[in-house]
Structures are given as structure tokens and as C-alpha cells.
Amino acid sequence: MALQDKYAELLQTANTLGVDNLAVAEKDGTLHVSGTAKSTADYDALWALYNKIDPNMASGDLMMNLDIKADAGASLKVTTDSTNLNIRSTPSTEGDIVGKAAHGEIVTLVEKTDDSWWKIRTKDGEEGYAYAQYLSPE
Amino acid sequence: MKITKTLMALAILLTLGFAGCKPKDADIKANVETALKANPDAANVTVSVNEGVATISGEVKDDATKAAVAAAAKGAKGVKDVVNNTTVPAPVVVVPEPASVTTALDEATQQKVKDGLKDIKGVTVTFSADKAVLEGEVTAANRMKIMQILAAAKVKSDVSKLTDKK
């Protein structure tokens, strides 16, 4: 229970924010948390809290597998540092690049293929897979 | 005047008489307790009686038991009414375990991590038995991105060799 105490504020906040399907389990020195945040703002707030409780997230004792609620057709903002986001033919960097989305561009979610890769469509109609971590539901 | 006095005296007598016939609260309490003893699920139920009204309290296992103990108390001799203050504990919610608890660090998962880290300059990743070991110099924003990429892939992290970019 020790880790649940350490991250009590985080778990409490996740509850307050109404994270869907919130699941928590402690195993072998790691606290596993999963669920779906209602918005990018909630997701960012929870990650900021993680970083506050465990400075630099250096302990490696929390696995916060959260995603953000987004249905097919949702608008996604490209959140790369500054570069273009590659859109690929398959959900892997092995896939051919079939398009690019600029930093800050808004694209449309086609489907959440898995936790790491989402199928998207640009406003020019380019469709393919992009890395989910660089896409934030608007 | 005389008639009024007689009536009043009669009324007092009647009241006293009935009061004398009324079972005492202590007796009613004993009756209720006896009635509840028949139900082993009522072991934690306590009883108090005031002017024939029995108040039952304590925890019972479910709503059916709650209704059953109230009915038993109501049926006990001398009970006019029952206040049912027994409580039923909230159901234990079984929450599924987060998927990351059982995720293995297989090749496909490692590839996902590598794919995600490709766009973050100055960072290399190797894999130990169950962790992604990160090395390099990163900004605070990229450090968070890395952690989010690992969490999305359900991979544990070792960031002891990750330093802050000044």
C-alpha cells in the first residue's frame, strides 16, 4: 500500500476528474494506474502531478497508462516539438510515409488502432497512421 | 360540577389502569431480542425501545436481512412500531487490474518505444529484462514525453542515466 500512499493525491485527483475505467494495482514495487482522461487538460494535469510527487519521474515506480477520451471524428492537434508528424501506411515506423502533418495542425481521428498508433486523416484527405503521443485531442 | 369531577376522576383512573396494563419498554426490548435471536444474521443488531417503539441498529449483510429483522422486531409482543436504523455495507466493487500489470516487454512493444522516441533527439534506449533504459540529455518537456511514450506502451522505465538539458 505504500505506493498508493505516495501517489494518494494523484489517485484522488484522477477520481475527482472523473477518469473513466480507473484501475489501480500495486505489483512488485510498481504502482499501475490505467484509465481514460476526459480531456487533454486533465491528462496534462495528472502528468504534472506525477512529476510533482516524484520529481523528474525518476523512481520508475509508477506506470501511468492513461489515454484521453477521443471518438472517431474527433479533432486532434499535432504536438510535435516543431517538426512535421509523419503519417505512415502501417502502424509502425517501418511503414511508408504517406503524408505529413505540420506542428500545430488539426487532424481528424479515424480510429485508435492501439495505445501507441492512431489512424488519422488530414484536412487534405491524407490518411494513415501516426504516433499517438504526438496527437492531443482538442 | 359534580358530574365533571366524577368524569375527570374516571378518566384518570382509566388512564392509570391502561398504563398499568401496558408492557414495559424493558420487557418489549427483551421480546424483540428474543425474536431476533432466531436469525443468526441479526447477531450485530442492537435494540432500544421507547414507549413501545423499537429502534433497531447495527450492520446487517444485505437488504433482505434488513427487511427480515425489521419484520421480526415488528412481530415481537408489545411493539407498536419499528424504526429500522440497521445498515447494509456498500458493495465491494471489483476493479479490473490495469493491463500494464501483465504486459511483457516483447519485441513489438520495444519497437513501439523506439518508434515513439525517434523524434526525440539526443536520447538512446536499450532494454533490460523488464525496463526501458534511457540515456541522454533532455528538456523537461521531452522528459515528460518520454515517460508518456513508455506508459502508453506499458513499459517500465529506468531514467537514472537521463540528465537535464541546461
Side-chain angles (χ1 to χ4, degrees), chain B residues 22-58:
Chain B
K22 258 198 326 193
K24 284 188 198 129
D25 285 344
D27 295 334
I28 299 173
K29 182 172 188 278
N31 292 342
V32 175
E33 283 169 348
T34 306
L36 293 181
K37 239 175 218 165
N39 186 350
D41 290 337
N44 296 324
V45 177
T46 56
V47 183
S48 68
V49 178
N50 186 23
E51 310 220 322
V53 177
T55 301
I56 52 174
S57 322

Side-chain angles (χ1 to χ4, degrees), chain A residues 56-113:
Chain A
N56 263 351
M57 301 164 285
S59 308
D61 56 5
L62 177 65
M63 166 76 72
M64 194 158 74
N65 181 227
L66 296 178
D67 67 349
I68 306 167
K69 185 176 161 47
D71 299 321
S75 295
L76 309 171
K77 189 175 188 176
V78 176
T79 54
T80 48
D81 256 358
S82 61
T83 51
N84 291 329
L85 178 66
N86 290 328
I87 302 171
R88 296 177 181 273
S89 59
T90 58
S92 153
T93 51
E94 305 293 305
D96 296 333
I97 296 173
V98 295
K100 283 180 189 293
H103 166 78
E105 189 179 326
I106 305 293
V107 297
T108 305
L109 177 65
V110 177
E111 65 165 20
K112 283 183 171 179
T113 310

Side-chain angles (χ1 to χ4, degrees), chain A residues 22-25 27 30 32 34 43 47 50-51 56-58 60 63-65 79 81 92-93 114-117 131 133-134, chain B residues 95-98 100-101 111-113 115-116 118-120 142-145 147-149 151-157 159 164:
Chain A
L22 184 65
V24 180
K27 197 191 170 209
T30 303
H32 297 259
S34 69
Y43 176 88
W47 274 94
Y50 174 13
N51 198 26
N56 263 351
M57 301 164 285
M63 166 76 72
M64 194 158 74
N65 181 227
T79 54
D81 256 358
S92 153
T93 51
D114 61 31
D115 283 346
S116 296
W117 289 93
Y131 206 80
Q133 221 53 54
Y134 299 99
Chain B
V95 183
E97 275 197 336
S100 57
V101 171
Q111 189 56 47
K112 273 184 191 173
V113 172
D115 288 347
K118 230 170 202 181
D119 288 320
I120 297 178
N142 275 341
R143 181 185 282 272
M144 182 153 287
K145 206 86 183 172
M147 295 305 286
Q148 292 173 351
I149 286 166
K154 307 183 190 75
V155 175
K156 291 188 205 173
S157 60
V159 294
D164 289 322

Side-chain angles (χ1 to χ4, degrees), chain B residues 125-156:
Chain B
V125 60
T126 51
F127 295 94
S128 72
D130 67 337
K131 286 190 174 88
V133 183
L134 283 309
E135 199 166 346
E137 211 184 46
V138 288
T139 60
N142 275 341
R143 181 185 282 272
M144 182 153 287
K145 206 86 183 172
I146 290 167
M147 295 305 286
Q148 292 173 351
I149 286 166
L150 293 177
K154 307 183 190 75
V155 175
K156 291 188 205 173

